[in-house]
Amino acid sequence: MPPHGREATLLPADHNQPRQPDSTAFMCPYCEAVLSNPGAAQCDSCLRPLPQKGTPVLRVQFPTGELKVSVGQHLVLGRDAGQSPVASTFTQYDNVSRRHSTVWLDPSGTAWVRDEGSTNGTFVNGERLPRGVEAPLRDGDQLRLAADVTGTVQLN
Ligand SMILES: [Zn+2]
């Protein structure tokens, strides 16, 4: 007797992947559809051309590593690897929240940060952001998480 239902165990590839949190997905900067292929020339939902190489990139230089954010990418900063794809940058800082802030770059090249209800606060140039408020980031700004984790914003 042949093994029963062997083919049924071969699930499509995307069933094998853990679901990515929406906050880390690449989204169309126009219609915010999640892009299955961020390198595509156009959004497969609204069909508008997507930003290509040569568009601005946001970098935040922390003592423990440099974070890089492309247009359309929302990057969650925090200590929990389940919440933040860059958690390893912050694991050594106990006062950084599991899900601390989000940084992103809009299609016009403006960078933004939003505090996600962190315990110890998100600061831009020393000023604490009210929870949930979106604040612009400029080249050279100091982005601080909690008391002592400071990154320098680089925007080109
Ligand atoms: Zn779109």
Side-chain angles (χ1 to χ4, degrees):
M1 200 133 160
H4 177 70
R6 178 65 67 185
E7 290 82 353
T9 65
L10 298 173
L11 295 171
D14 56 350
H15 284 243
N16 294 329
Q17 303 283 343
R19 205 177 108 73
Q20 294 291 320
D22 289 340
S23 53
T24 63
F26 281 92
M27 295 192 299
C28 172
Y30 305 104
C31 71
E32 301 198 338
V34 174
L35 301 172
S36 53
N37 175 14
Q42 65 179 28
C43 171
D44 50 18
S45 180
C46 70
L47 305 181
R48 287 196 241 202
L50 293 171
Q52 297 299 301
K53 288 184 173 64
T55 53
V57 174
L58 164 67
R59 288 184 174 81
V60 188
Q61 185 73 53
F62 284 101
T64 46
E66 183 189 71
L67 310 181
K68 193 175 156 192
V69 183
S70 305
V71 171
Q73 182 186 14
H74 283 55
L75 184 64
V76 174
L77 313 184
R79 260 189 323 116
D80 182 348
Q83 306 264 0
S84 170
V86 293
S88 62
T89 306
F90 303 108
T91 41
Q92 66 181 276
Y93 301 111
D94 288 343
N95 50 5
V96 171
S97 292
R98 290 155 51 89
R99 180 185 178 90
H100 199 106
S101 343
T102 301
V103 291
W104 70 98
L105 193 55
D106 75 17
S108 73
T110 303
W112 299 87
V113 61
R114 181 178 64 221
D115 182 78
E116 299 291 357
S118 68
T119 303
N120 295 306
T122 301
F123 302 78
V124 177
N125 298 329
E127 289 212 27
R128 185 167 182 164
L129 302 180
R131 175 181 184 161
V133 168
E134 300 179 353
L137 291 172
R138 293 176 188 85
D139 188 49
D141 278 354
Q142 298 291 302
L143 174 62
R144 178 155 60 88
L145 309 187
D148 53 4
V149 187
T150 302
T152 302
V153 173
Q154 294 178 287
L155 199 51
N156 56 6

